[in-house]
Amino acid sequence: MNYRLKDLQERVNKLIEQQGENAECAAWIYTKEDCHLKDKDGEIDYDNVVEDPEVIERIFDEVGNIDHIYAVIQDCVDEVTEEQLMLQQQELAEV
């Protein structure tokens, strides 16, 4: 799942309408500024980013189709949700 920034803005605006502007969320945004090339020694050169729009589109299309990323994030959300609910129940029981 990848978007252009304008598309992402529209999606966020719809979420704000549905859930309110103070709704909690988590997000990870990567742009071409995160697509670094390696230098001649094989080290990441953080000043050297991919500039070709076609290559950038292909990079994020491929990354956006890696299901493993979404599975890991959902597993983390599920795990933390369960932990926090258990903590809340313990806190309520102690009161």
Side-chain angles (χ1 to χ4, degrees):
M1 175 180 351
N2 57 310
Y3 303 94
R4 289 187 166 46
L5 287 174
K6 180 67 176 166
D7 299 331
L8 184 58
Q9 181 181 33
E10 291 172 8
R11 187 171 168 89
V12 168
N13 287 340
K14 286 180 184 176
L15 287 169
I16 290 170
E17 286 177 26
Q18 294 169 350
Q19 299 182 26
E21 62 184 20
N22 293 318
E24 298 290 339
C25 71
W28 292 263
I29 298 175
Y30 290 84
T31 68
K32 70 178 185 176
E33 300 298 319
D34 300 297
C35 299
H36 306 287
L37 301 171
K38 294 183 179 180
D39 63 18
K40 59 181 170 57
D41 299 322
E43 300 294 322
I44 299 292
D45 180 355
Y46 291 100
D47 295 324
N48 190 3
V49 298
V50 177
E51 295 292 340
D52 185 322
E54 186 176 309
V55 173
I56 293 166
E57 181 179 355
R58 290 184 1 218
I59 290 167
F60 287 116
D61 185 53
E62 189 165 329
V63 169
N65 288 315
I66 299 174
D67 292 336
H68 176 73
I69 294 169
Y70 306 107
V72 169
I73 292 170
Q74 188 62 55
D75 288 346
C76 290
V77 170
D78 294 343
E79 182 179 324
V80 173
T81 299
E82 187 70 25
E83 289 172 2
Q84 290 303 313
L85 287 173
M86 288 174 49
L87 281 172
Q88 183 185 40
Q89 289 172 352
Q90 288 174 354
E91 291 168 357
L92 290 173
E94 294 173 0
V95 173

